[in-house]
Amino acid sequence: MKYQFSDNIPESNVDPVGNILKVAGDPKVISFAGGLPAPELFPVEDLKKVTNEVYDESGRQALQYSIAAGFPALREQIAKRMNRSGIKCDIDNIMITTGSQQSIDLTAKLFVNPGDTVIVEQPTYLCALDVFRSYGAHMVGVPMDDDGMKMDALEQAVKDNPNTKFIYTIPSFQNPTGRTMPADRRQKMIEIADKYNVMILEDDPYGAIRFAGKDVSPVKTYEHDERVIYMSTFSKILAPGLRIGWIVAEKTLVKKFTLMKQTVDVHSDNLTQHIIAKYMSDYNIDDHIAKIRDVYRRREGIMMDAIKKYFPKDAHCSHPEGGLFIWVEVPGVDTQTLFNTCTDHNVAFVPGEPFYADKVIPGTFRLNYSNMQDDKIVTGIERLGNAIKEAIGQQVKV
């Protein structure tokens, strides 16, 4: 049977996300591939307790259909959290989504026609690139330095692409690089967006997980004209299996998002929304996040020390102050050759190629430090260092 797919389906059958999760699930492999939180930190007993209370107190309501915008009690809890971060909003500015991925998809669905430009960081979150491609977007990557997206290059990209619909940015502990955009660049991004009348999609799944340095306010706090769509998720601060995220935007725009969401899944899981709302009412989620920060601070430090010990001296690494990732650049290494070599060493990473919208920088890859136990981090980085040296040797022989 020859299927007649729509133009939205990618021609390639390569599934980098599936491959990442497959490798991460192999018990023989020390995997730094997936962006997985530490499962031992999931508040299983607390969630079990509040789940039983939800069933006892409002089980019939929680198991019924609900509104697309989301459970009001959960939106109220999120609004309080957003206001504490400097984003002024109420529940009518908030819509619940089925994870961050749905927030990205709905934004593209709402704004992008085939051929429209979406400007992204270079590199950026690979699943966002997949979404934008599926809607026929023309993607333009803006180069980064250690402080994130370069603003002069961003302005030039907007000038060169007058059909730009929005700028997609992960300003805090960026995926895949772990870099954080300082306040002055965030303000400059707003100035550029105002000047050229483009939207900004601010993706902030990691911002609460800062374990070093000083907090930087979200890009949305600097806006003048409500052109920033802010999105975040409970995946990294509570548990990813809950699949609950949220959007904060101007109220008429939230109504548009709600209409689009109704065509996709009617509403996000109602029972899970009740459980999270009850958890946030009964427990201080910031106390839980503090535990996550402590563990990730330690694991990032262990990984950085091991990298210094076992990697070639010319390897360059980002130095995250939070989040889940370290970005590595090793000059002269073919990443696919290295990945294949690592398979033999039972260690895994994510090659850099899928994170680029256009021109790929060779020898780049992403490491995750949040999911592995301390001793396995050291062992895995030692294996990876040996694999890098072996891959370099193979290329020299060729």
Side-chain angles (χ1 to χ4, degrees):
M1 175 70 181
K2 184 173 176 61
Y3 300 107
Q4 298 182 9
F5 294 117
S6 79
D7 293 339
N8 294 337
I9 304 298
E11 294 181 9
S12 172
N13 287 322
V14 175
D15 179 12
V17 177
N19 291 338
I20 290 168
L21 295 176
K22 182 179 179 181
V23 170
D26 187 339
K28 299 190 302 295
V29 175
I30 295 179
S31 176
F32 304 125
L36 305 178
E40 67 272 22
L41 296 176
F42 298 158
V44 175
E45 292 303 316
D46 294 341
L47 288 172
K48 184 194 299 186
K49 180 175 180 292
V50 298
T51 298
N52 288 333
E53 291 172 356
V54 166
Y55 276 120
D56 290 341
E57 298 169 10
S58 55
R60 290 181 175 84
Q61 180 189 0
L63 293 172
Q64 186 56 278
Y65 285 114
S66 187
I67 58 174
F71 182 37
L74 179 58
R75 289 155 62 210
E76 187 68 50
Q77 292 280 4
I78 292 170
K80 292 177 182 177
R81 187 167 185 80
M82 292 292 91
N83 277 280
R84 288 197 297 271
S85 76
I87 296 175
K88 304 303 179 185
C89 64
D90 58 40
I91 67 169
D92 292 330
N93 295 106
I94 295 168
M95 186 187 78
I96 303 300
T97 62
T98 305
S100 282
Q101 195 65 24
Q102 187 177 67
S103 301
I104 296 169
D105 187 83
L106 289 174
T107 303
K109 190 173 185 178
L110 191 59
F111 286 99
V112 177
N113 291 313
D116 286 342
T117 295
V118 175
I119 293 177
V120 301
E121 291 150 345
Q122 185 83 316
T124 192
Y125 176 45
L126 60 89
C127 292
L129 294 176
D130 289 342
V131 169
F132 303 147
R133 287 191 185 102
S134 75
Y135 288 97
H138 166 237
M139 287 180 293
V140 175
V142 174
M144 307 171 74
D145 58 20
D146 288 340
D147 287 329
M149 185 184 285
K150 296 180 179 180
M151 290 298 109
D152 56 345
L154 172 61
E155 181 159 15
Q156 190 61 53
V158 177
K159 279 183 183 178
D160 292 344
N161 296 275
N163 65 337
T164 297
K165 285 299 182 71
F166 58 84
I167 301 161
Y168 173 69
T169 181
I170 312 169
S172 296
F173 321 125
Q174 196 243 15
N175 183 0
T177 67
R179 295 164 178 156
T180 295
M181 187 186 298
D184 59 341
R185 289 200 187 183
R186 299 181 189 217
Q187 292 169 321
K188 183 63 178 178
M189 178 178 284
I190 292 291
E191 291 176 15
I192 293 168
D194 286 345
K195 182 177 178 180
Y196 296 95
N197 192 31
V198 298
M199 300 290 293
I200 297 172
L201 177 58
E202 179 180 12
D203 191 356
D204 189 28
Y206 316 107
I209 312 175
R210 173 177 284 280
F211 49 69
K214 296 181 179 179
D215 285 331
V216 185
S217 297
V219 174
K220 190 167 177 62
T221 63
Y222 299 107
E223 70 179 352
H224 313 292
D225 198 23
E226 295 188 297
R227 67 175 65 254
V228 179
I229 301 164
Y230 176 93
M231 52 176 280
S232 191
T233 177
F234 288 102
S235 291
K236 304 303 188 291
I237 61 173
L238 199 54
L242 298 171
R243 304 310 306 133
I244 296 294
W246 68 91
I247 285 172
V248 184
E250 188 268 329
K251 292 179 181 180
T252 59
L253 190 53
V254 169
K255 291 180 181 178
K256 292 287 188 183
F257 271 113
T258 303
L259 290 173
M260 301 302 286
K261 181 174 172 59
Q262 287 170 344
T263 71
V264 177
D265 63 0
V266 183
H267 61 78
S268 296
D269 186 281
N270 195 31
L271 175 61
T272 304
Q273 293 185 63
H274 277 71
I275 291 168
I276 296 175
K278 180 68 173 172
Y279 176 87
M280 294 182 74
S281 174
D282 291 0
Y283 297 94
N284 185 341
I285 193 171
D286 287 321
D287 289 344
H288 174 66
I289 294 170
K291 296 176 184 176
I292 295 173
R293 288 195 195 107
D294 288 344
V295 171
Y296 292 4
R297 177 189 297 111
R298 185 180 74 249
R299 291 183 177 173
E300 187 269 350
I302 291 169
M303 181 171 281
M304 289 301 299
D305 288 344
I307 286 171
K308 291 174 185 175
K309 183 175 181 179
Y310 295 114
F311 277 22
K313 299 303 180 185
D314 58 349
H316 175 76
C317 303
S318 62
H319 295 270
E321 296 180 336
L324 282 71
F325 305 114
I326 294 171
W327 185 245
V328 182
E329 299 177 11
V330 183
V333 170
D334 178 83
T335 314
Q336 191 57 53
T337 299
L338 175 60
F339 185 83
N340 295 337
T341 304
C342 283
T343 302
D344 297 332
H345 286 262
N346 285 327
V347 65
F349 61 86
V350 184
E353 286 84 346
F355 297 101
Y356 287 91
D358 36 55
K359 185 179 179 182
V360 174
I361 296 177
T364 57
F365 56 91
R366 189 191 76 180
L367 298 175
N368 165 263
Y369 49 78
S370 61
N371 186 245
M372 274 293 148
Q373 298 295 323
D374 298 6
D375 58 337
K376 287 189 176 182
I377 291 175
V378 176
T379 302
I381 293 298
E382 182 178 8
R383 290 179 185 177
L384 183 50
N386 291 333
I388 292 172
K389 294 166 187 173
E390 186 175 321
I392 291 173
Q394 289 172 355
Q395 291 172 205
V396 169
K397 290 177 184 178
V398 173

